[in-house]
Amino acid sequence: QVQLVESGGGSVQSGGSLTLSCAPSGGPYNYYALGWFRQAPGKEREGVAAMILTRPVTRYADSTKGRFTISRRGADPTVYLQMNNLKPEDTAMYYCAAGYAGYSQLLMETSYNIWGQGTQVTVSS
């Protein structure tokens, strides 16, 4: 079945930007939704941003709305998370996940059954 591969993490200063990529690989990709989640050491995993793959529907956490943008580019199935104005509290391991969800469940971890390995984002001052 399809695998998800994240890339684009790294270290930036507060106020900087990073763009993460989530690329499907290894099989048919027919999942309805893709979400980005993050988990910092000692903290629970939280939904960051998510989208329905075939419709212009997105959802963001309150803490990232206006700073982060989830998107696709043309016909490429890769999903991106553009992160602007990064803050130290954004430091976490970021995971992409594929699954099925309606709008109200897009940021719920239980909506997703395929997960990538994660990519580290570190924001310093």
Side-chain angles (χ1 to χ4, degrees), residues 92-114:
M93 185 72 74
Y94 283 70
Y95 302 88
C96 67
Y100 310 90
Y103 179 81
S104 63
Q105 293 84 41
L106 280 172
L107 296 179
M108 297 181 63
E109 183 177 355
T110 54
S111 297
Y112 302 92
N113 63 320
I114 303 295

Side-chain angles (χ1 to χ4, degrees), residues 3-68:
Q3 304 292 316
L4 302 177
V5 180
E6 303 101 330
S7 62
S11 298
V12 297
Q13 293 183 341
S14 181
S17 299
L18 285 173
T19 299
L20 307 182
S21 301
C22 179
S25 180
Y29 189 70
N30 62 348
Y31 287 89
Y32 186 71
L34 187 137
W36 285 96
F37 294 79
R38 67 186 182 188
Q39 186 168 22
K43 298 183 179 180
E44 295 184 355
R45 184 155 41 221
E46 63 174 336
V48 175
M51 70 181 302
I52 296 173
L53 295 174
T54 59
R55 299 184 65 183
V57 177
T58 59
R59 188 170 185 177
Y60 299 91
D62 289 342
S63 60
T64 62
K65 189 174 184 179
R67 299 189 297 121
F68 290 13

